[in-house]
Each structure stands twice: as C-alpha cells, then as structure tokens.
Amino acid sequence: QAQMVESGGGLVQPGGSLRLSCRTSMNIFSFGRLGWFRQVPGKERELVAYIISNGQTNYADSVKDRFSISRDGAKNTMYLQMNNLKPEDTAVYYCNTQPPVRHLWGQGTQVTVSS
C-alpha cells in the first residue's frame, strides 16, 4: 500500500549540486527512521544518510558535510540536498526506512557526476 517515489536525479559536473526528492503516500512522521541509499553496478546498496523521527540525522563518512537530509511533513516528502558532488557519488539513489523494508523500494533516481 505504501509507495516511495524518488526523483531529482540527473547529470551534473563535479562540484555541482542536486536535490533529490522522495515522496510517499504515508505521513512521513509515522516512520521512525527514513534513509537515502545508493547503488552502483556490481556493488551492494549502501546507506547514505537517514533522519530520525525526532529530527536527528546521520551521514555516511563519504558524504558528511556535503549532503543534507530533510523532510517536509506538509508534502510527505523527504529530500537529499547534495553539494560539492564527486564522480564517486554516481549511483542510483533510493529511499526507504532504515533499516529498509523490502516492499518499499522504488525505482530510484540516477545521479551521474561527470565532466
């Protein structure tokens, strides 16, 4: 019944910025923790960042101080603001609870960082 829809990806040059959106049909504040994940071909899906119901956030070391996770209750949307993007950030980005629930995975949104 619940559905996650990711959007906002695209092609950006190194040092550029993107803002990803994750919209859900549910009240986002009903989730204990919501996270952004990413995956590249041949690699396991990895957690990038998550936000707790009380607003506390956590980031992978590789994106700390560059990415910012937030949510908008009025829009039932979670965001990932990505600044100073690097080629190694290239991946398909997904949102889900943390830990993730299998049936909530969406199609993801492609982020490509390249000159």
Side-chain angles (χ1 to χ4, degrees), residues 43-58:
K43 300 291 186 179
E44 293 186 354
R45 194 167 298 181
E46 65 175 352
L47 177 66
V48 175
Y50 65 83
I51 185 167
I52 305 175
S53 58
N54 65 3
Q56 183 179 348
T57 58
N58 185 275

Side-chain angles (χ1 to χ4, degrees), residues 13-105:
Q13 294 183 343
S17 298
L18 285 173
R19 188 178 74 161
L20 307 183
S21 298
C22 170
R23 191 177 69 83
T24 175
S25 61
M26 301 181 66
N27 184 339
I28 64 170
F29 293 107
S30 68
F31 298 102
R33 291 188 291 183
L34 285 171
W36 283 97
F37 304 77
R38 66 186 181 187
Q39 185 172 218
V40 299
K43 300 291 186 179
E44 293 186 354
R45 194 167 298 181
E46 65 175 352
L47 177 66
V48 175
Y50 65 83
I51 185 167
I52 305 175
S53 58
N54 65 3
Q56 183 179 348
T57 58
N58 185 275
Y59 300 90
D61 288 342
S62 60
V63 306
K64 191 179 297 290
D65 299 323
R66 298 190 298 119
F67 291 11
S68 180
I69 187 171
S70 62
R71 59 189 177 187
D72 184 334
K75 298 180 178 179
N76 279 338
T77 302
M78 181 175 65
Y79 302 98
L80 184 67
Q81 178 66 47
M82 305 185 295
N83 298 322
N84 192 23
L85 283 161
K86 303 176 179 181
E88 51 263 44
D89 295 318
T90 296
V92 178
Y93 285 71
Y94 303 86
C95 58
N96 207 319
T97 56
Q98 172 54 23
V101 175
R102 183 179 181 181
H103 70 271
L104 289 181
W105 292 118

